[in-house]
Amino acid sequence: ARDRACYFRNKIKHLPLRMFVPSDYASNCVTALSPTNPNVDAHRIFEIMKDEYDIWICPNSGELASKVFRIGHIGSIEQDEIDKLVKAFDDLVKRKLL
């Protein structure tokens, strides 16, 4: 999980996302992210990823539902799946949705 978390976090540095928890305190199991643009709804990002890219990220609930989503790093996750996720995020940026 640590290697996948590090790989993912390095691959997204160019994206308009910030880690919700500072990297010094972040778990190796999950990365909580928040769009840097306050007008981007994090739950909408979850819905688009699920519906249009067939990629499941973890939505948040409660008062943070529109501000934070999470990416899991445990289980059977391959590097090419992480690359597919990053490519989808890149596409959202091109579409001006992220």
Side-chain angles (χ1 to χ4, degrees), residues 9 19 21-27:
R9 291 170 187 162
M19 289 185 61
V21 176
S23 60
D24 293 349
Y25 301 102
S27 166

Side-chain angles (χ1 to χ4, degrees), residues 25-88:
Y25 301 102
S27 166
N28 289 326
C29 297
V30 67
T31 300
L33 296 169
S34 182
T36 57
N37 180 340
N39 297 318
V40 173
D41 186 300
H43 195 270
R44 182 71 184 125
I45 298 301
F46 156 75
E47 291 172 344
I48 293 169
M49 295 299 274
K50 174 180 63 77
D51 296 341
E52 297 181 27
Y53 296 90
D54 198 29
I55 296 173
W56 286 81
I57 61 176
C58 305
N60 222 52
S61 61
E63 63 185 54
L64 295 178
S66 65
K67 297 178 183 175
V68 178
F69 59 84
R70 294 163 285 141
I71 306 298
H73 307 300
I74 57 175
S76 180
I77 301 169
E78 300 295 328
Q79 191 168 327
D80 64 327
E81 293 172 302
I82 296 170
D83 293 340
K84 178 183 173 185
L85 172 61
V86 174
K87 186 176 178 181

